């Protein structure tokens, strides 16, 4: 799971090609182990999500796919996105009603999401400590937590340094 350096690197300007290549390799390995495959539209959808570490809505992805000849019907994007989420290659961000590529598809995990409200970039952070604390508090009241989604909205270091208010 990502550590502080990986989180900072996600928000910092960098060569997306290198991290996209790593994620695509990990995705192919993961899918091979699951007996699934990246069709051309699924692969292109993942590539689109990997281009900038930004959360994207389904219609934004659909527009990109349509411009590249994959069809303009909403099920094209929704099926590809759902496949990616189901197989651990993308995450659905509830707050934004959007999707982001999983940056660590080689590892099963349920991260917390750090979302920059200015540039819309998304980083994954270890959520286990948050989940454990919430589970403990809930248990004191007799509540059993089944699922936790943590999405933190704020400013990344780059946008904060640029004086975004």
């Amino acid at each position: 799971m990502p550590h502080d350096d990986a989180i900072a690197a996600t928000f910092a300007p960098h060569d997306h090609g290198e991290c996209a290549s790593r994620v695509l390799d990990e995705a192919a390995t993961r899918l091979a182990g699951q007996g699934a495959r990246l069709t051309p539209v699924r692969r292109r959808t993942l590539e689109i999500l990997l281009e900038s570490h930004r959360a994207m809505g389904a219609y934004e992805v659909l527009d990109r796919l349509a411009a590249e000849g994959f069809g303009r019907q909403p099920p094209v994007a929704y099926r590809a996105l759902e496949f990616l989420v189901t197989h651990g290659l993308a995450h659905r961000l509830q707050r934004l009603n959007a999707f982001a590529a999983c940056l660590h598809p080689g590892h099963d995990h349920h991260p917390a999401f750090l979302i920059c409200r200015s540039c819309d970039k998304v980083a994954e952070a270890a959520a286990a400590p948050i989940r454990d604390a919430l589970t403990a508090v809930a248990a004191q009241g007799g509540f059993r937590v089944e699922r936790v989604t943590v999405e933190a909205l704020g400013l990344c270091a780059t946008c904060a340094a640029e004086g975004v208010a």
Side-chain angles (χ1 to χ4, degrees):
M1 207 43 238
H3 48 75
D4 294 344
D5 292 341
I7 292 168
T10 298
F11 289 117
H14 65 280
D15 177 9
H16 292 292
E18 183 179 322
C19 59
S21 178
R22 177 191 52 80
V23 170
L24 287 167
D25 288 345
E26 286 182 26
T29 300
R30 181 180 183 98
L31 289 177
Q34 296 173 347
R37 66 185 187 89
L38 276 179
T39 62
V41 71
R42 292 170 181 167
R43 180 180 181 84
R44 186 61 192 130
T45 300
L46 182 55
E47 290 170 345
I48 289 167
L49 292 176
L50 284 166
E51 288 175 357
S52 64
H53 299 304
R54 214 171 45 79
M56 298 178 77
Y59 279 93
E60 187 177 358
V61 171
L62 177 62
D63 288 344
R64 294 280 306 279
L65 290 171
E68 297 176 22
F70 286 102
R72 184 157 294 283
Q73 298 302 317
V76 170
Y78 280 108
R79 284 184 192 130
L81 289 165
E82 203 52 46
F83 174 89
L84 297 176
V85 169
T86 298
H87 290 278
L89 307 179
H91 300 291
R92 189 168 190 333
L93 295 136
Q94 302 298 325
R95 184 185 191 295
L96 301 175
N97 193 26
F99 299 85
C102 176
L103 300 179
H104 307 281
H107 310 283
D108 285 327
H109 61 285
H110 301 282
F113 301 102
L114 307 176
I115 306 164
C116 181
R117 67 175 167 76
S118 178
C119 67
D120 291 328
K121 287 185 181 176
V122 177
E124 296 178 21
I130 299 164
R131 213 173 25 255
D132 293 347
L134 182 58
T135 298
V137 168
Q140 292 173 3
F143 185 85
R144 188 179 83 225
V145 174
E146 295 177 347
R147 184 172 47 113
V148 174
T149 302
V150 179
E151 298 179 8
L153 185 66
L155 284 175
C156 70
T158 302
C159 290
E162 291 175 358
V164 174

